[in-house]
Amino acid sequence: MTATYHKYILQFKRPSGTSRGILKTKETWFIVISDGIKQGIGECGILRTLSIDDRPDYEDRLKWTCENIHLGVEKLWHKLIEFPSIQFGVEMAFTSFESTSPFLLFPSKFTETKDSIPINGLIWMGDKEFMKKQIIEKLNQGFDCIKMKIGAIDFKTELGLLSYIRSQFSSDIIELRVDANGAFKPKDAFDKLQQLSVYDLHSIEQPIRQGQPKAMSELCRKTPLPIALDEELIGVFDITEKKKLLQTIQPQYMILKPSLIGGFKGTKSWIDIAESLGIGWWITSALESNIGLNAIAQFTYTLHSNIPQGLGTGGLYTNNFASSLEIDRGTLIYDHKKEWNVTYVN
């Protein structure tokens, strides 16, 4: 068996805003393993400044992984503990290789087009008119769960947008989630949560920056609306430390991004701990291409969660790969009749 890696730059259709800045491109890497007859494909997607493995030696580690692919998925996963996106790529590549088709990783009713996955519609940051336009588009597309990124424009303007949605649709019709990406300062966070709570939100993701467990714990204890941890989970590798973190903060939910937390195995370990503590969860993609998104979606379906997942990012890019994934009335479907078109090798 041999392995190679290939870099690919995804181009956003429109620069996409978060509280961390404007994204115009997304860097990703593919690991391709082969025995000369069939191939397996895995995506290693990093988010610059956010991924714990955004390091100068990242490509060196990719090269080492390909040179040592004979070690197998289990040994490689443990040796790559500080490189969660490569862990994910390796897991994906081996699962892909062992399957009947490179893109059929977890056969199920979802991959047979007999069932779908409910997802949230994502509203990117921008000026008021741009955000309002996105909201209207998502509502017209049939989404009944909308996630709005906040923290980059004036807070009163963001409240106005939430007020607009609620003036049109009650919480029985549209579920509203917001994602602050750590934009609030601890001293202001509770007041802002109180102002947000009047709009009957489902939850808020990461109101303050990660790495402040005492402040986050205090917020989760007295919050007027449910809090979901996101970035807080990044860089926590040890099972004992994972449990300690969740026991200390006691969030209402957590968001799981396989590329950032160690792939399928890392995600499952967080879920096991969360469920033992009565903490809810859902899975979100981390701006992967359709190759990575496909693997995450198929994996997610096997976990039998019935709440909307964050898997609607496949249409963000001008140069994504044609795939079997489609969004239909607020759900993700897998049309097994559609052909994949993958040109990931230079």
Side-chain angles (χ1 to χ4, degrees):
M1 181 182 292
T2 60
T4 54
Y5 69 89
H6 311 269
K7 186 176 182 178
Y8 193 80
I9 304 297
L10 292 156
Q11 306 284 340
F12 279 86
K13 292 178 180 176
R14 175 182 174 127
S16 299
T18 74
S19 61
R20 294 173 179 270
I22 303 296
L23 301 175
K24 296 180 180 179
T25 62
K26 164 68 169 59
E27 182 180 5
T28 200
W29 306 77
F30 296 104
I31 288 179
V32 181
I33 60 177
S34 174
D35 64 356
I37 300 173
K38 62 178 183 175
Q39 290 185 333
I41 306 165
E43 181 168 356
C44 308
I46 58 173
L47 289 173
R48 293 296 182 189
T49 76
L50 181 59
S51 299
I52 195 69
D53 47 6
D54 177 14
R55 297 166 33 166
D57 60 342
Y58 187 84
E59 189 168 354
D60 289 339
R61 202 60 176 168
L62 274 173
K63 182 179 179 182
W64 177 90
T65 300
C66 291
E67 291 172 347
N68 290 276
I69 203 71
H70 61 277
L71 293 175
V73 63
E74 194 66 26
K75 286 185 178 179
L76 284 172
W77 192 93
H78 287 285
K79 288 182 177 293
L80 293 165
I81 197 69
E82 294 183 359
F83 293 82
S85 66
I86 304 180
Q87 286 179 314
F88 180 46
V90 167
E91 284 182 317
M92 194 192 315
F94 273 93
T95 307
S96 168
F97 178 80
E98 292 162 2
S99 301
T100 56
S101 164
F103 305 108
L104 186 62
L105 284 75
F106 299 96
S108 67
K109 288 184 177 180
F110 173 67
T111 58
E112 294 172 1
T113 323
K114 294 179 179 178
D115 203 358
S116 59
I117 301 173
I119 60 174
N120 60 239
L122 180 61
I123 307 301
W124 288 92
M125 291 176 177
D127 60 42
K128 181 178 179 179
E129 289 308 310
F130 172 59
M131 294 183 76
K132 186 175 180 180
K133 180 183 176 183
Q134 291 180 86
I135 290 166
I136 293 170
E137 286 176 351
K138 295 302 179 187
L139 297 176
N140 290 339
Q141 288 167 5
F143 284 91
D144 56 15
C145 178
I146 290 178
K147 171 182 166 179
M148 192 172 96
K149 286 186 174 288
I150 61 174
I153 62 175
D154 178 71
F155 187 61
K156 288 185 178 180
T157 300
E158 292 170 340
L159 293 178
L161 290 166
L162 293 169
S163 178
Y164 164 75
I165 299 173
R166 276 291 171 251
S167 71
Q168 306 295 311
F169 302 95
S170 70
S171 59
D172 293 331
I173 298 174
I174 296 293
E175 180 178 288
L176 273 177
R177 301 170 176 174
V178 295
D179 181 4
N181 285 127
F184 300 163
K185 295 179 180 178
K187 64 183 179 65
D188 303 326
F190 183 71
D191 178 60
K192 289 187 173 182
L193 293 183
Q194 286 185 310
Q195 293 181 66
L196 288 165
S197 67
V198 303
Y199 301 108
D200 202 4
L201 304 182
H202 172 271
S203 56
I204 179 170
E205 295 181 34
Q206 203 69 44
I208 63 174
R209 281 196 178 272
Q210 70 267 37
Q212 305 175 87
K214 185 176 180 181
M216 185 68 87
S217 175
E218 182 70 10
L219 269 184
C220 289
R221 186 178 63 81
K222 62 182 184 180
T223 183
L225 72 154
I227 290 175
L229 300 187
D230 183 356
E231 290 90 342
E232 202 78 52
L233 310 182
I234 298 172
V236 185
F237 307 125
D238 182 73
I239 293 291
T240 302
E241 290 301 312
K242 291 179 180 180
K243 190 170 185 178
K244 180 181 177 182
L245 178 73
L246 293 184
Q247 287 177 327
T248 298
I249 296 178
Q250 297 184 41
Q252 286 74 35
Y253 293 101
M254 62 181 191
I255 315 299
L256 301 160
K257 295 185 171 87
S259 290
L260 302 182
I261 58 171
F264 308 134
K265 189 182 180 77
T267 299
K268 284 181 177 178
S269 74
W270 277 113
I271 290 174
D272 289 344
I273 297 167
E275 292 185 341
S276 74
L277 298 173
I279 296 168
W281 56 269
W282 66 89
I283 291 177
T284 297
S285 56
L287 303 180
E288 292 86 1
S289 77
N290 278 335
I291 295 174
L293 179 62
N294 174 60
I296 295 170
Q298 291 185 33
F299 168 69
T300 299
Y301 184 81
T302 68
L303 302 175
H304 307 295
S305 173
N306 59 4
I307 68 173
Q309 310 292 308
L311 303 175
T313 58
L316 292 175
Y317 306 114
T318 61
N319 60 337
N320 209 341
F321 308 103
S323 76
S324 299
L325 300 175
E326 286 186 2
I327 294 176
D328 180 44
R329 303 297 297 175
T331 67
L332 187 69
I333 64 172
Y334 187 94
D335 185 350
H336 61 82
K337 295 179 182 178
K338 288 183 65 176
E339 294 292 327
W340 282 80
N341 181 17
V342 176
T343 52
Y344 49 84
V345 180
N346 293 331

